[in-house]
C-alpha cells in the first residue's frame, strides 16, 4: 500500500488522467486496455443466454435509456451486448469477465450477481453522462476496448442504513441501492426497528406501525438537535422534513413512517436485480421502546421500560411471530437479531427473568441474553436462516454458527469471536461509522488501515466475511445529509472490500475517485467534496 503522494506528483497525475476513460472502482483484479472503442447505438440488442438473467438485461437497458434516449431491445439469444451465464452456475461465485471489442460487449459470470457486477463495470466505462436522468441528444456513447477479469476479496460488502432515527422514503432507499450497485456492494443491512420507531409492517401486531412508527418530534432529542443545527447553519439538509409528518387522530403533529410489506417486497426485488441482498435487522432485546410503547406487556413487570422481558414466554412468542413475517418478506438467508447495548440490569429485578435464569441453569443476565440469542438462532435455523448480531451477542456465550457484526472496535472482542469460530463482519466505530464526522483523513485511514487485529491466526482470518459501513440516522434527517456523510467514503470501503489487499493503492484510488465524483455530480449526489477538509459532524462524540 502506498500512502505518500507529493503535491507535485498529484497535480501531474490529475492532469494526466483527467480524461482517462478507465477509472473503475473498485479496482478490478485484471484489466487489459486495447485499442479503439465500442460505440453504443440505438439499434443495439442486449442478448442473454438464460432466462434466469433476463432481469439483468432489463436492468442494463434501464441504465442506458434516460440519457441516450435508446429503447434497446432485449432478447434471449445473442446480441450486441451479451450477458452470459456460464454453466455449471454457482450463486456463490461473484466473479465476472467483461470483454469489450469494437463490435460487441460480453459479460460472463457463473451467477446472477456476477452479471450484475459486470454491468456495474460496463456502466463505469461508459461516459459519466450516462448517469443523467435527462435525455442528452447528440452525444456519442463509447466504451473503450478492454478486457476485465474480476472477483471480490470478500463476499460481504455492506452498507447499513437506519431509517428509524430518521425515515427515508422508498425512493430515497432505492437511490442508495443504485449507488451501492455502482460500487458492487452486496449487502444492504436495513436497521428497521429501534427505540425511536418501528418501520416494518407486521400484520400480526398492527399497533407496531399504527402507533410505533410515529413520534412527537417536539419531544425527540434527535429531531430537536437536527432542527437546531438547521436554524444555526441554514443547512436545509439538517431540517427534519415536513414530508414525513402528519396530523394524527388526536390532532397532534407526528413524525415517522413505515414500509408496507408490498413496499418491502419491491425494495428487496430492486436490490436483488442490482446484485444486492437485503439483510433486515430486528433489534432485540434492547433498543425496544417502540414495540414496548405499543404493547407494554413486552417489558419486565409490564412497566413500559426497555429491554424486552426475556422471562415471559409470550415475549419470546412475539419475537418468533415477528420473525415469521420477516422470513416471508426477505429471501436472503442472513437475518440480523441486533443484540447491542442492552440494559441487562433490568432483568435482575424481574421475577420472570430470574425464574428463566434458574430454570435454564444460567449464571447471570449476560447468559440470559445469550440464551435468548441461542433460542432465536434455533428458530432461524429451523426456517433455513442464519443469524447475525452486533458483537454483544458474544457476551455470555454464543454458538459458533452465529455471525458477528464487530462494531465496538475492540480487538479482544474480534479475537474472541474468531477463537469461538464465529464469522465476523468488520464495521468498527473507528473506521466504518459513516454518521461520525469525516475529516480530511477519514478516507485515507479507511482505505489504508488494516482493520484485522494482528493477533488473528491465518485460520482465524478465514472467518472474516467482509466489511460494512454503518449509516446511523440520529443526525441524518434527509437524503441529502445521508449522501454527504456516506460519500465518497463508502466508495473507499467498496474498494477495500472488493479488491484484494495486495492491489490496494491509495494514490491510484484517489486519482480514480477524482473521476468518479464527476459521475456523482451527474447523478446529483450530495457527496462531501474531496477538497473540503472537514464536514461538520456535530454528532462526533455524541454517540
Ligand atoms: C451500535 O452502534 N449500537 C451497534
Ligand atoms: Zn423480565
Amino acid at each position: 500500500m502506498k500512502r505518500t503522494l507529493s503535491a507535485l506528483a498529484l497535480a501531474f497525475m490529475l492532469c494526466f488522467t483527467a480524461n482517462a476513460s478507465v477509472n473503475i472502482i473498485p479496482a478490478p483484479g485484471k484489466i487489459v486496455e486495447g485499442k479503439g472503442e465500442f460505440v453504443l447505438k440505438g439499434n443495439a440488442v442486449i442478448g442473454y443466454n438464460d432466462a434466469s438473467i433476463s432481469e439483468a438485461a432489463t436492468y442494463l437497458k434501464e441504465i442506458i435509456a434516460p440519457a441516450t434516449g435508446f429503447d434497446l431491445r432485449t432478447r434471449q439469444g445473442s446480441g450486441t451486448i451479451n450477458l452470459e451465464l456460464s454453466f455449471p452456475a454457482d450463486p456463490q461465485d461473484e466473479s465476472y469477465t467483461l470483454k469489450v471489442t469494437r463490435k460487441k460487449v460480453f459479460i460472463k459470470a457463473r451467477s446472477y450477481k456476477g452479471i450484475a457486477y459486470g454491468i456495474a463495470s460496463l456502466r463505469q466505462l461508459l461516459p459519466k453522462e450516462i448517469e443523467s436522468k435527462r435525455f442528452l441528444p447528440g452525444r456519442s456513447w463509447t466504451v473503450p476496448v478492454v478486457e476485465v477479469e474480476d472477483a471480490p476479496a470478500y463476499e460481504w460488502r455492506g452498507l447499513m442504513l437506519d431509517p428509524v432515527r430518521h425515515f427515508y422514503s422508498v425512493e430515497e432507499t432505492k437511490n442508495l441501492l443504485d449507488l451501492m450497485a455502482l460500487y458492487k456492494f452486496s449487502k444492504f443491512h436495513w436497521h428497521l426497528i429501534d427505540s425511536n420507531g418501528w418501520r416494518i409492517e407486521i400484520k400480526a401486531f398492527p399497533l407496531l406501525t399504527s402507533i410505533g412508527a410515529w413520534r412527537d418530534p417536539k419531544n425527540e432529542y434527535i429531531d430537536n438537535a437536527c432542527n437546531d443545527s438547521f436554524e444555526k447553519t441554514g443547512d436545509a439538509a439538517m431540517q427534519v422534513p415536513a414530508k414525513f409528518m402528519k396530523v394524527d387522530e388526536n390532532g397532534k403533529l407526528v413524525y415517522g413512517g413505515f414500509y408496507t410489506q408490498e413496499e418491502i417486497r419491491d425494495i428487496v426485488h430492486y436490490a436483488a436485480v442490482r446484485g444486492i441482498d437485503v439483510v433486515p435487522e430486528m433489534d432485540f432485546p434492547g433498543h425496544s421502546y417502540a414495540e414496548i410503547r405499543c404493547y407494554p406487556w413486552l417489558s419486565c413487570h409490564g412497566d413500559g421500560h426497555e429491554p424486552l422481558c426475556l422471562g415471559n414466554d409470550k415475549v419470546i412468542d412475539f419475537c418468533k411471530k415477528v420473525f415469521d413475517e420477516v422470513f416471508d418478506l426477505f429471501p436472503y438467508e442472513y437475518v440480523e437479531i441486533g443484540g447491542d447495548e442492552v440494559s441487562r440490569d433490568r432483568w435482575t429485578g424481574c421475577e420472570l427473568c430470574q425464574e428463566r435464569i434458574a430454570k435454564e441453569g444460567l449464571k447471570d443476565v449476560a447468559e440470559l441474553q445469550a440464551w435468548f440469542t441461542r433460542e432465536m438462532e434455533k428458530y432461524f435455523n429451523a426456517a433455513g436462516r442464519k443469524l447475525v448480531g452486533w458483537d454483544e451477542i458474544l457476551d455470555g456465550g454464543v454458538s459458533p454458527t452465529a455471525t458477528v457484526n464487530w462494531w465496538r472496535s475492540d480487538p479482544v472482542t474480534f479475537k474472541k469471536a474468531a477463537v469461538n469460530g464465529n464469522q465476523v463482519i468488520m464495521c468498527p466505530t473507528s473506521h466504518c461509522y459513516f454518521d461520525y464526522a469525516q475529516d480530511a483523513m477519514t478516507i485515507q485511514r479507511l482505505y489504508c488501515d488494516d482493520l484485522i487485529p494482528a493477533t488473528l491466526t491465518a485460520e482465524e482470518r478465514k472467518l472474516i466475511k467482509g466489511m460494512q459501513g454503518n449509516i446511523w440516522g440520529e443526525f441524518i434527517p434527509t437524503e441529502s445529509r445521508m449522501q454527504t456523510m456516506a460519500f465518497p467514503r463508502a466508495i473507499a470501503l467498496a474498494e477495500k472490500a472488493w479488491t484484494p489487499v495486495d492491489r490496494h493503492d491509495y494514490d491510484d484510488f484517489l486519482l480514480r475517485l477524482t473521476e468518479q465524483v464527476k459521475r456523482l455530480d451527474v447523478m446529483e449526489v450530495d457527496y462531501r467534496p474531496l477538497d473540503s477538509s472537514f464536514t461538520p459532524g456535530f454528532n462526533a462524540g455524541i454517540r
Side-chain angles (χ1 to χ4, degrees), residues 94-241:
E94 299 185 353
S95 66
Y96 70 92
T97 60
L98 165 65
K99 182 173 176 179
V100 181
T101 70
R102 288 171 196 233
K103 296 236 154 58
K104 290 196 175 191
V105 175
F106 302 89
I107 294 172
K108 290 188 191 173
R110 293 178 66 201
S111 65
Y112 182 96
K113 279 190 176 166
I115 299 284
Y117 304 145
I119 289 174
S121 287
L122 176 62
R123 184 173 160 191
Q124 289 193 20
L125 289 171
L126 278 156
K128 61 182 183 307
E129 289 78 12
I130 198 73
E131 309 297 344
S132 170
K133 292 281 169 283
R134 275 172 292 113
F135 175 41
L136 300 176
R139 278 199 62 95
S140 174
W141 300 100
T142 58
V143 183
V145 168
V146 74
E147 286 193 32
V148 176
E149 279 175 33
D150 206 5
Y154 291 111
E155 63 160 298
W156 193 289
R157 305 175 304 280
L159 279 186
M160 188 220 75
L161 187 65
D162 164 20
V164 171
R165 275 50 175 270
H166 285 104
F167 189 63
Y168 312 110
S169 68
V170 169
E171 195 196 334
E172 290 164 345
T173 308
K174 286 182 174 176
N175 289 342
L176 180 65
L177 289 166
D178 276 330
L179 281 164
M180 290 174 66
L182 183 57
Y183 299 108
K184 305 187 178 82
F185 280 96
S186 60
K187 311 292 172 199
F188 176 54
H189 172 169
W190 210 7
H191 183 79
L192 283 166
I193 66 168
D194 209 302
S195 298
N196 320 65
W198 184 283
R199 304 277 176 241
I200 169 174
E201 178 187 20
I202 296 293
K203 293 193 194 285
F205 300 101
L207 299 188
L208 292 172
T209 41
S210 64
I211 295 176
W214 304 95
R215 67 183 184 230
D216 178 354
K218 297 234 161 3
N219 260 339
E220 190 76 41
Y221 166 71
I222 54 179
D223 293 335
N224 289 325
C226 289
N227 284 330
D228 285 352
S229 168
F230 163 63
E231 307 258 304
K232 273 196 212 110
T233 62
D235 179 359
M238 289 308 298
Q239 188 175 26
V240 178

Side-chain angles (χ1 to χ4, degrees), residues 221-290:
Y221 166 71
I222 54 179
D223 293 335
N224 289 325
C226 289
N227 284 330
D228 285 352
S229 168
F230 163 63
E231 307 258 304
K232 273 196 212 110
T233 62
D235 179 359
M238 289 308 298
Q239 188 175 26
V240 178
K243 67 179 175 180
F244 298 132
M245 300 201 196
K246 66 169 191 181
V247 177
D248 74 4
E249 52 286 354
N250 304 316
K252 247 181 98 171
L253 189 71
V254 289
Y255 168 90
F258 65 94
Y259 308 103
T260 64
Q261 296 204 346
E262 199 183 339
E263 287 170 333
I264 286 172
R265 286 187 207 282
D266 178 38
I267 284 178
V268 167
H269 177 253
Y270 192 88
V273 165
R274 284 152 182 75
I276 299 168
D277 297 307
V278 183
V279 193
E281 180 188 345
M282 302 289 112
D283 198 350
F284 296 146
H287 290 266
S288 45
Y289 181 62

Side-chain angles (χ1 to χ4, degrees), residues 299-301 308-312 346-347 350-353:
S299 58
C300 292
H301 299 130
L308 300 179
C309 176
L310 299 188
N312 184 345
R346 289 254 313 148
W347 296 328
C350 170
E351 300 75 33
L352 286 179
C353 286

Side-chain angles (χ1 to χ4, degrees), residues 340-341 390 407 433 472 543:
D340 59 320
E341 299 177 313
W390 299 110
W407 73 278
Y433 270 46
W472 292 105
R543 285 179 49 87

Side-chain angles (χ1 to χ4, degrees), residues 19-36:
N19 292 316
S21 47
V22 180
N23 280 296
I24 298 175
I25 297 181
K30 185 172 168 202
I31 181 156
V32 180
E33 293 183 52
K35 286 205 170 62

